[in-house]
Amino acid sequence: MQLELSEEDRAFREEMRDFFTTKVPEEIRDAVKDGQELSKEQIVASQQALNAAGLAVPHWPEQYGGRGWSDLRRHLWNEEMQRAFVPAPLAFNTSMIGPVLAQFGSEELKERFMAPTANLDVWWSQGFSEPDAGSDLASLRTTAVRDGDDWIVNGQKTWTTLGQYGDWIFTLVRTNPDVKKQAGISMLLIDMTSPGLEVRPIELIDGGHEVNEVWFSDVRVPGANLVGEVDGGWTIAKFLLGNERVGVAPVAATKRNLALAKDRYAERVAADPLLAARVAELENELLALELTALRVVAHSEGGEPHPASSVLKLKGTELQQAVSELAVDLAGPASLASGADDGSALPGFARRATPTYLNLRKASIYGGSNEVQRQIISKTILGL
């Protein structure tokens, strides 16, 4: 296995590094560096800067803006983007519904949505999770019933991330209650300004408003907004969730955050052997994970994720949480001042350490819980 980059790939990496550090607005990258919550306008501005340079959706088919890169170059693009504190393109648009429409959408839907989705002119929300369903996605109860050419949708979705910004929502609905539960599901695209659709905020443990409930009360949806075939939604959902899991372990961002913490508290780390050992252990584990990520990229074929990507998700989220815990410990009592405003004498990165730590508890759950990843590893890698 060859882990050293070729001269061409090194030049590509330098090209990405130059773009991300000079063409994306500095105030947005500074906000990411300081751990601030980005506004909708900042997320849109960042993605539109990438899209103008053809760097927002390099993994899409080329007729819709993809670049036809190798898996290694997509890996380098992602690594350099994280290293430069550039927000990743909105996953709901670029990793979820965009590839789904390219694969399963009608020509009408592709013509209508592909370009606005890449440029974030349309902000998509994900309507998958439901109350009481847990990880059993097929147990969803939101229904869609035919009424002439339209569908009438009733039910509730939950944990809809950033749904308060959403223009449209891609939604799994039950269209046939009389068959095996996986066989009676369809996907609809729903305008979030439709009469009968309501978004209600959920306050999180860190005090933020990141997720929502979405309620549907006799929401009328045109039949043309169906993706794929009636009752074919389970196949689409598995395709979408497979894409969601790729890149879910932000190795470069975690390395970046560890380096920042080490630099900000350099004197404390140097004076405390136990802290220094803790930092060194995390650095070594991240280096090992980075090499594993390169091995996964080297063995991926035809855009399909290697089974070892489950190792990346499992270990990547564990290290992500460990680094956020270290940041809280280094900030000490200052980490409790999360309610202080920007006029506080305490640095912003210290005040935001605890909210970040609390928020990242979700990392081992989303994108396929770590328990699910352990099952995949045991069956497909270890053969147990």
Side-chain angles (χ1 to χ4, degrees):
M1 180 175 57
Q2 177 65 37
L3 290 179
E4 185 177 349
L5 296 180
S6 67
E7 183 176 340
E8 292 77 14
D9 287 332
R10 283 199 299 271
F12 174 83
R13 166 169 267 178
E14 288 302 318
E15 178 189 345
M16 293 296 104
R17 187 169 298 178
D18 179 68
F19 177 86
F20 291 133
T21 54
T22 60
K23 304 302 182 186
V24 177
E26 188 172 0
E27 62 270 21
I28 296 176
R29 293 188 291 113
D30 285 345
V32 175
K33 184 177 183 179
D34 200 37
Q36 298 178 31
E37 183 176 340
L38 297 182
S39 67
K40 176 181 180 180
E41 290 72 23
Q42 288 175 312
I43 295 171
V44 171
S46 177
Q47 181 158 326
Q48 291 186 344
L50 298 185
N51 196 48
L55 298 177
V57 291
H59 54 297
W60 284 14
E62 292 182 63
Q63 65 265 40
Y64 303 118
R67 300 293 297 269
W69 288 343
S70 65
D71 290 331
L72 175 60
R73 291 204 169 189
R74 284 172 49 189
H75 175 79
L76 295 175
W77 162 80
N78 190 42
E79 291 282 291
E80 291 303 321
M81 186 164 50
Q82 293 179 29
R83 195 188 311 274
F85 301 100
V86 173
L90 189 68
F92 309 113
N93 284 42
T94 61
S95 299
M96 298 183 188
I97 192 61
V100 161
L101 291 177
Q103 180 78 12
F104 300 98
S106 65
E107 289 305 314
E108 179 184 351
L109 291 177
K110 292 174 183 175
E111 178 68 24
R112 181 178 182 182
F113 286 119
M114 290 303 286
T117 296
N119 201 47
L120 202 41
D121 296 325
V122 172
W123 185 298
W124 287 95
S125 298
Q126 183 182 29
F128 279 20
S129 297
E130 293 194 5
D132 302 325
S135 299
D136 186 8
L137 184 61
S139 295
L140 63 88
R141 293 182 293 187
T142 297
T143 60
V145 178
R146 275 287 194 184
D147 183 30
D149 291 335
D150 297 339
W151 296 93
I152 304 298
V153 177
N154 282 283
Q156 178 193 358
K157 298 294 178 178
T158 192
W159 308 124
T160 306
T161 304
L162 301 180
Q164 67 269 36
Y165 301 146
D167 300 305
W168 284 73
I169 183 168
F170 49 93
T171 313
L172 291 179
V173 292
R174 184 156 304 285
T175 44
N176 189 343
D178 300 322
V179 295
K180 181 181 176 183
K181 59 183 182 180
Q182 287 87 353
I185 294 172
S186 302
M187 176 180 280
L188 291 176
L189 309 182
I190 304 178
D191 185 338
M192 294 185 73
T193 64
S194 301
L197 189 153
E198 182 183 2
V199 178
R200 302 178 187 174
I202 299 174
E203 185 175 345
L204 293 181
I205 191 172
D206 65 359
H209 172 199
E210 186 179 352
V211 292
N212 305 267
E213 296 174 330
V214 181
W215 293 76
F216 304 89
S217 301
D218 292 328
V219 175
R220 182 170 290 275
V221 181
N225 290 9
L226 174 75
V227 181
E229 303 294 328
V230 175
D231 296 341
W234 188 247
T235 298
I236 299 174
K238 288 190 294 183
F239 175 88
L240 184 150
L241 292 172
N243 285 329
E244 181 187 22
R245 205 158 292 151
V246 173
V248 77
V251 179
T254 306
K255 285 180 63 179
R256 179 196 71 196
N257 292 336
L258 177 60
L260 277 174
K262 183 180 176 182
D263 181 61
R264 285 165 173 162
Y265 299 97
E267 291 186 7
R268 278 197 59 197
V269 173
D272 187 335
L274 292 178
L275 270 179
R278 190 172 165 189
V279 170
E281 182 177 1
L282 286 171
E283 287 177 330
N284 284 332
E285 291 201 58
L286 280 165
L287 177 59
L289 187 63
E290 186 176 30
L291 293 175
T292 303
L294 288 170
R295 288 173 56 197
V296 171
V297 169
H299 286 84
S300 294
E301 295 180 357
E304 293 293 326
H306 188 277
S309 60
S310 291
V311 175
L312 298 182
K313 198 281 177 178
L314 173 63
K315 191 63 180 176
T317 51
E318 288 180 348
L319 290 175
Q320 197 178 16
Q321 293 174 338
V323 170
S324 71
E325 185 175 355
L326 174 67
V328 170
D329 292 342
L330 289 171
S335 69
L336 300 177
S338 59
D341 59 26
D342 290 339
S344 170
L346 299 171
F349 59 81
R351 289 184 281 116
R352 282 183 274 275
T354 292
T356 301
Y357 165 83
L358 293 172
N359 190 282
L360 283 176
R361 296 311 95 187
K362 69 188 180 188
S364 51
I365 300 174
Y366 63 53
S369 70
N370 283 6
E371 284 71 21
V372 170
Q373 303 311 314
R374 289 187 177 92
Q375 291 177 11
I376 295 173
I377 292 167
S378 69
K379 292 179 181 177
T380 63
I381 298 177
L382 302 178
L384 300 177

